[in-house]
Amino acid sequence: MAPDDHAGRLGEEFFTPGTSSFTEFLAAHRPELLSTRRVLPDGVRAEGAPHGTTVLALTYGDGVLIAGDRRATMGHLIAQRDLEKVHPADDHTAVAFAGSVGLALDLVKLCQVELNHFEKIEGTPMTLAAKATRLATMIRNNLGQAMQGLAVVPLLAGYDPAAPEGGRGRIFGFDVAGGRYEKYGFHAEGSGSPYARGALKKLFRPGLSRREATLAALQALYDAADDDSATGGPDLTRRIYPVVSVITEDGFERLSEAETEELSREMVEQRRGRPDGPNAGV
C-alpha cells in the first residue's frame, strides 16, 4: 500500500480505550499542542505581554453572576480596550480570567473542549467540583511559564443543581500553582481585585435580584477602575461596557449590550452625586 493511502485517516490512538480527559490525551500523543506545557528557555522572562484584569463573581437569588472589565494592559500602555474576559465553559459554567491574555484564551478554549470531551466519553456531564479540579490541573501544568511571567489566574462560576436550595450558584478561585478554593458569596481576581472585593463586601447580601447583583458588580468594577490603572471603567464615549453574564437553572446567559449600557449609565449617574459609591446597607 502506498504511504499516502493512509492520508486523512485517524491514527490508532483515537481508537484505543483511554482517559476521558482531553488534556491527558493530548499530553500523551501531541504534547507540543498544549500551550500550557511549553516553558521558555532558562533565564528568559516574558516581558510586555498583554495582561487582563479585573474579574469578579457573586451569587444571587437565581444563581451566580460573573463579570469583568474590558481593559488589557502592556506595561503602562493600554493594549486593548474591549477584551472579552468572561466566557462560557459549558451550558451551566463560565470562566473569567486575569493574567496573560494569550495563554488565558488558550486555557479557556482547552477547558471548553475538556468538558465537552468528558461528556461525550462518559455520557454524563462532569460535576461542578470536578470541573474546578480539572481547571486547577490545567493551571498547575502552566506553572513553569507562570514563574517566567506568563501567569493566568481564572475564576470559575457555575450553577450546581446537586447543591442545596439557595446555594446552587457556586464560585471557585485558584492560585498560580493550581490551588483550588471555593469562595462563598463573592470573589474577585486581578490587580483591581482588592478594591472590587472591598466594594462587594459592603454591597453583597444573600438573595439579591439579578438587577441588584448586576449593579453591585458594576459598582465593584467602577471602584477597581478608580484605584487600579490596569482596570478599565465603563467607556460611555466609545460605548464599551463590562461583560456581565449570569448562570441559572436555565443555563448561561450574557446580558445584552442594551441592558449593560442602561445599568452602567445608571450607575455612573449615581456616582455623580456620590463619587465614592453607595454606603453599606444597615
Side-chain angles (χ1 to χ4, degrees):
M1 185 180 288
D4 33 349
D5 283 351
H6 291 288
R9 295 185 183 179
L10 293 175
E12 185 179 331
E13 63 271 16
F14 289 93
F15 302 97
T16 304
T19 177
S20 59
S21 168
F22 181 76
T23 306
E24 291 177 8
F25 174 81
L26 211 56
H29 301 287
R30 293 293 300 277
E32 72 277 6
L33 297 179
L34 282 172
S35 58
T36 54
R37 297 267 177 141
R38 301 171 194 155
V39 180
L40 301 175
D42 289 342
V44 174
R45 284 189 58 81
E47 303 291 347
H51 276 67
T53 58
T54 298
V55 295
L56 60 84
L58 67 152
T59 58
Y60 72 107
D62 294 331
V64 62
L65 178 149
I66 186 165
D69 82 306
R70 307 292 293 276
R71 179 173 291 179
T73 56
M74 197 161 56
H76 296 293
L77 301 176
I78 297 175
Q80 189 173 344
R81 300 179 190 275
D82 59 352
L83 178 65
E84 301 272 344
K85 301 177 188 175
V86 179
H87 301 266
D90 63 14
D91 290 343
H92 288 87
T93 317
V95 178
F97 65 83
S100 179
V101 173
L103 273 174
L105 291 172
D106 279 353
L107 192 71
V108 168
K109 291 174 186 174
L110 186 59
C111 182
Q112 292 168 335
V113 174
E114 178 83 1
L115 301 188
N116 186 264
H117 179 78
F118 178 92
E119 188 168 349
K120 285 181 177 178
I121 297 297
E122 299 294 335
T124 183
M126 199 181 293
T127 66
L128 186 58
K131 294 172 190 177
T133 299
R134 287 288 175 96
L135 184 55
T137 301
M138 295 179 203
I139 300 166
R140 191 174 301 115
N141 289 339
N142 187 54
L143 183 58
Q145 292 186 92
M147 295 297 100
Q148 294 179 299
L150 294 174
V152 177
V153 183
L155 185 60
L156 183 141
Y159 184 86
D160 187 354
E165 186 76 32
R168 291 177 179 169
R170 299 175 68 186
I171 302 166
F172 292 88
F174 305 86
D175 60 36
V176 294
R180 191 204 81 168
Y181 313 95
E182 184 162 6
K183 306 294 182 178
Y184 298 95
F186 60 87
H187 188 59
E189 294 288 2
S191 61
S193 61
Y195 315 108
R197 284 199 297 267
L200 289 173
K201 188 177 288 186
K202 67 178 182 177
L203 297 175
F204 175 81
R205 68 179 189 277
L208 291 169
S209 69
R210 168 168 147 162
R211 178 184 174 83
E212 290 170 333
T214 302
L215 283 170
L218 293 173
Q219 292 278 10
L221 289 171
Y222 191 100
D223 277 348
D226 201 31
D227 286 297
D228 173 46
S229 62
T231 303
D235 190 332
L236 304 185
T237 305
R238 297 183 177 88
R239 300 182 68 182
I240 300 173
Y241 305 100
V243 174
V244 182
S245 298
V246 295
I247 311 154
T248 66
E249 184 179 10
D250 295 328
F252 175 92
E253 178 192 353
R254 173 170 167 163
L255 271 62
S256 68
E257 287 291 323
E259 184 176 359
T260 309
E261 178 175 359
E262 177 195 345
L263 293 176
S264 294
R265 288 183 179 274
E266 178 181 329
M267 182 269 300
V268 170
E269 190 59 35
Q270 292 173 0
R271 290 280 178 147
R272 295 186 194 280
R274 190 184 290 272
D276 292 331
N279 291 331
V282 179

